[in-house]
Amino acid sequence: AALASYALFHLVTVFPLSWVALYGDQGVEDFMKMELLGAFFGAAAMPMSGLIADKIGRRSYLGSLAVAIGVFALLAPLMLGGGKPGQAAFILIGFVLLGLSYGQAAGSVTSNFLPHFRYTGAALTADMAWLLGAAFAPVVALYLSSHFGLITLTAYLMSGALCTLLALRVNKKLREAAVVQD
């Protein structure tokens, strides 16, 4: 369930820096300042994620954020292609979404494990999500975007959001079927 969050992590940090360095009209130094500001926004959003998830439930919360990441993915080409203002919006909105989703991502699946398996479950699910969702994200996204346009960034992020929604659905069905229990 953490796939969209982990893919988003690298697509708002490493990818846009590479994109701006290769194709942008602003200096890397200025862009790094915007990324630093975005990181502060993301850090501020993280504690809020716990409060919101406690009120509406972690799975519902992560599902809502996967949808929000999907909407963000649809707007990503417009933002990244929109010069400095659009790129700033991409970074700031992306980091807020990241902060809101990242804090809850690992616990959504691991809560299904028995207590004595939770640490191993957390490690395995986080590692697999990082490997599948994020490890290759910047390189793949840069390659696809440079050859086929920024719309491929939308497809990449959207696939992470859809896989997250699917994982949350399967996880819910497993819990309802009592295959997974506390």
Side-chain angles (χ1 to χ4, degrees), residues 12-172:
V12 297
T13 56
V14 178
F15 170 78
L17 182 60
S18 302
W19 182 262
V20 167
L22 294 172
Y23 304 108
D25 59 352
Q26 65 178 306
V28 172
E29 300 82 17
D30 290 337
F31 192 76
M32 286 298 296
K33 291 175 187 172
M34 186 54 61
E35 282 204 333
L36 184 60
L37 179 61
F40 284 119
F41 277 47
M46 263 188 217
M48 293 174 14
S49 75
L51 298 172
I52 299 167
D54 285 346
K55 288 192 185 289
I56 67 170
R58 187 180 302 144
R59 280 181 193 79
S60 297
Y61 179 70
L62 285 173
S64 299
L65 280 166
V67 171
I69 290 170
V71 171
F72 176 76
L74 291 172
L75 299 173
L78 296 172
M79 289 186 281
L80 280 174
K84 284 184 183 183
Q87 292 164 359
F90 178 85
I91 293 300
L92 298 177
I93 295 167
F95 266 105
V96 168
L97 285 172
L98 178 62
L100 290 172
S101 65
Y102 187 78
Q104 301 303 310
S108 63
V109 175
T110 58
S111 64
N112 290 325
F113 294 111
L114 295 171
H116 58 283
F117 292 126
R118 282 200 182 133
Y119 291 112
T120 303
L124 288 174
T125 56
D127 288 347
M128 293 307 290
W130 274 111
L131 180 63
L132 298 174
F136 304 106
V139 174
V140 171
L142 187 60
Y143 175 81
L144 291 173
S145 295
S146 64
H147 285 82
F148 304 107
L150 284 170
I151 193 69
T152 56
L153 181 65
T154 295
Y156 197 89
L157 251 182
M158 189 66 75
S159 69
L162 292 173
C163 286
T164 296
L165 290 171
L166 178 64
L168 289 168
R169 180 81 174 150
V170 168
N171 188 266
K172 182 180 179 183

